[in-house]
Amino acid sequence: MIAALRRHLETIVLIASGLVLAAGGVLAWAGDDAAARWMWIAGTLLGLAFALSATVEAARHRRPTVDIIAVLALAGALWVDEPLAGAIITLMLATGQVLEARADARARRELSLLAARAPRTARRVVGDGLVEVAVEEIGVGERLLVRPGEVVPVDGRLAADATLDESALTGEPEPVERPAGGDVRSGVVNAGGPLELVTTTTAQTSTYAALVRLVEAAQAASAPFVRAADRWAIAFVPLTLALAGGAWWVSGDPVRAVAVLVVATPCPLLLAAPIAIVSGLSRSARLGVVVKGGGALERLARARVAVFDKTGTLTRGRPQLADVVPADGGDPDVALRLAASLDQVSAHVLAGPIVEAALARGLALTMPDQAEEVHGHGVRGTVGGRRVRVGRPSWIAGPDPAPWARQVRRRADLDGSMSVMVEIDGEPAAALLLRDPIRPDAPRMVRALRAAGMDRIVLATGDRADVAHMVGRIVGVDAVLAECEPVDKLTALRREGERGPTLMVGDGINDAPALAAADVGVALAARGATASSEAADVVLTVDRIDALADAILVARRSRRIALQAVAVGMGLSLVAMGAAAAGLLPPTLGAALQEVIDLLAILIALRAVLPGRLHTVAIPEEDLRTLAALRVEHDGLAPLVERVAAVADGLSTQAPDLAPVLALRDALETDLLPHERADEELLVPLVARALGSHEAVAALSRTHAEIERQVARLRRLVDGLDPVPAPEDVVELRRLLYGLYAVLKLHNAQEDEGAFSLAPARVP
């Protein structure tokens, strides 16, 4: 009972003060002035006890507070026999406390949405049956069944295509389709039929558990909410006391001093600023950005220099298959199919991308037999009666690799790629090249940060200088610091801090020191949180870094509105204090006027609840569906694009084989060109509508035309070749194919950045 009263103390005081004030008014209207006076005295005493308890609590925590002014005003109202003024002040204080508590509770509800849905049990697949177990008992590599409507309990890899509701993590209401072999995060809801997955984390290290910890940290940081008034209390309290004392000394009338104290009750500070800041916390949470308290939100609003790590922030942080290089005479599709079949049971970080790439190419996978993970090397097993090993090149090729394997290693070094070797029946069969691609939304995010007021953007990474500078050039940063150890990032933050408040963005354990040292640390936790999330002030729970730019816009707008509310409210209060000191404003009228000023300041602050300008583009649902369908076609043509370079590589001036060229030409005309024409007809107008400018899509239209021109040139060249082409014709054919490949790669990057990045993120 006592605990419940404490939880609702502000509401109880508000109701009681309102009833007492109203009862006194009724009694005064009825002519019973004595009873009315006692009613208002009771209301004043209630407010005095309420304000005094807040002052004692602040003193106990050694925190400056303006509540002392309310205590003096209420005590002074009793002393000079102005109980009506005291009763009005009590109602004003109680109203403010209730509004602040409601705003704080609203922010907590936004932050607690994830924690409230945490799953407790899971269904483990055992033989031909299911066993329900606690999520804490789930290990890595187990098969789980998730029924329709249930929450996925731990991170895993899908055994078949699935339809998922990811709104709790991403905020996007539309269900998304995830392919077999794709990663699925805990916390999403199965929106389709029963799905099976192979676990890749435990419950304790899963995405959902990490996000729950982040919510708890954010709530701890924002409760109790440190009121913005505390920062101005040191200056405001002495000013008020000096003005009140001066009015009393000059006039000899203590009523003037009480009047000054009454109108000095600083509810614009007590209420307006917290309402605006808490509204910013709530709106940021809805964008998928958890800000750990009002202080972090204000520091985010003041940031002027951004320092980014590369891997997982400006890049995907998750490799994708870039190419399959077969051994002499090998079949790349066979090697990829067997490797992906074996990797279905592997929890290694490179296994998922290999499985996804095989499924994207339409390869039929089979479950392996006797699969065994060899720690630090790879995985081996039997697939369809064939012995397969997939893993490190040194494990497969040995200390003296074949010439093709050495060439693959050189190519991987030049491209900054990772290589995985495939062995079939004891013979090296192919090398799989994987690359961590740049996030399509990274360049847009950098431009959005500049538009939001960021003065300088720096890339600080431990990667090689050539790779780092390439990424920095593409996304558009101001400076690149490569081959950085954690201590080098700290040094860079101190140096950049001389230019203004710093913001550090990272997602790895090695980023935790820099995140803690920056004025604002921002961590990415869309695929699970690490030490970086614990050290950060701001955590992105969606797999879009451009959400950071929106969070900065929200933070700056909330801070700006808070300052506007404080400036208007306190400015009017200072004017009223001057009038009260001059004897122009009696205490009762001053209390009523202060209530009007408070309401005006609160109304100004409540503007922060309304949606403000964001850099994110709003796209209608019909256009989003069109964009998703074109994206599927776009991704499905990636192997055909790589095939252009592979065919060019295979051309030789000595006895050239034109059969691959003829097959490629037909595939380009039947598969690629129809897609590019559909892009011109559907994608280009869609993006122009979203961005509000046809100039923004002029480059896309130009490359569509160039692709069609190059394919037409290829047909004319091939049709005009002799059965045994001359060497110079082969050279020209190879040159044309390499040129077409370059145009296609550039065009795909343009579409990823300028068109498909406008859609909600697709977390693999």
Side-chain angles (χ1 to χ4, degrees), residues 43-389:
T44 304
L45 290 172
L46 176 64
L48 184 60
F50 188 54
L52 191 60
S53 66
T55 303
V56 170
E57 183 69 14
R60 190 166 65 87
H61 291 91
R62 298 181 179 180
R63 189 181 72 236
T65 178
V66 291
D67 286 324
I68 186 64
I69 297 177
V71 172
L72 294 175
L74 289 162
L78 291 175
W79 179 40
V80 299
D81 197 23
E82 292 280 355
L84 176 57
I88 294 174
I89 293 173
T90 299
L91 180 64
M92 177 176 59
L93 290 175
T95 301
Q97 291 293 334
V98 168
L99 286 173
E100 183 177 351
R102 292 288 175 84
D104 196 17
R106 178 176 178 176
R108 288 173 181 275
R109 283 196 299 272
E110 297 287 348
L111 295 175
S112 301
L113 180 62
L114 296 175
R117 300 171 61 258
R120 301 287 183 267
T121 61
R123 292 177 178 82
R124 180 188 290 154
V125 178
V126 180
D128 295 330
L130 299 174
V131 176
E132 187 166 310
V133 297
V135 292
E136 292 79 10
E137 299 178 20
I138 300 172
V140 176
E142 297 188 16
R143 295 184 70 85
L144 302 181
L145 178 74
V146 181
R147 293 176 178 172
E150 291 183 342
V151 176
V152 175
V154 298
D155 298 356
R157 185 170 299 122
L158 292 170
D161 295 350
T163 302
L164 303 173
D165 174 6
E166 300 181 349
S167 58
L169 301 185
T170 67
E172 298 299 332
E174 291 295 317
V176 295
E177 303 292 333
R178 298 289 179 218
D183 290 341
V184 59
R185 295 181 295 168
S186 56
V188 305
V189 176
N190 179 15
L195 67 84
E196 286 192 24
L197 60 89
V198 176
T199 61
T200 54
T201 67
T202 63
Q204 292 76 18
T205 59
S206 69
T207 298
Y208 211 66
L211 293 183
V212 169
R213 290 194 297 269
L214 291 174
V215 167
E216 292 169 349
Q219 289 179 328
S222 60
F225 188 85
V226 179
R227 295 179 297 185
D230 296 341
R231 293 196 298 275
W232 288 291
I234 296 176
F236 189 77
V237 171
L239 173 65
T240 301
L241 295 179
L243 186 59
W248 188 0
W249 182 73
V250 170
S251 66
D253 184 3
V255 175
R256 290 195 184 186
V258 173
V260 171
L261 293 173
V262 167
V263 296
T265 306
C267 279
L269 292 179
L270 294 172
L271 303 177
I275 286 173
I277 296 300
V278 170
S279 297
L281 294 175
S282 177
R283 286 199 56 77
S284 296
R286 287 199 294 273
L287 293 172
V289 182
V290 177
V291 182
K292 298 179 181 178
L297 188 81
E298 294 190 68
R299 293 195 303 275
L300 182 64
R302 293 195 300 267
R304 285 294 179 271
V305 180
V307 180
F308 282 83
D309 180 43
K310 179 182 75 69
T311 304
T313 53
L314 298 181
T315 65
R316 286 285 190 190
R318 186 176 186 275
Q320 293 181 359
L321 185 68
D323 200 5
V324 180
V325 183
D328 296 337
D331 187 330
D333 285 346
V334 171
L336 178 58
R337 182 181 65 80
L338 294 176
S341 296
L342 183 59
D343 270 336
Q344 288 181 103
V345 298
S346 173
H348 194 275
V349 66
L350 298 182
I354 292 172
V355 174
E356 288 177 16
L359 292 171
R361 297 189 182 196
L363 303 179
L365 307 186
T366 57
M367 290 304 296
D369 298 321
Q370 302 174 348
E372 176 189 5
E373 197 95 32
V374 181
H375 183 68
H377 294 287
V379 60
R380 60 189 174 196
T382 303
V383 179
R386 307 189 70 174
R387 293 179 292 108
V388 181
R389 289 199 302 165

Side-chain angles (χ1 to χ4, degrees), residues 504-529:
M504 174 70 197
V505 185
D507 78 330
I509 294 175
N510 64 328
D511 295 321
L515 292 171
D519 293 300
V520 184
V522 180
L524 279 72
R527 294 189 179 93

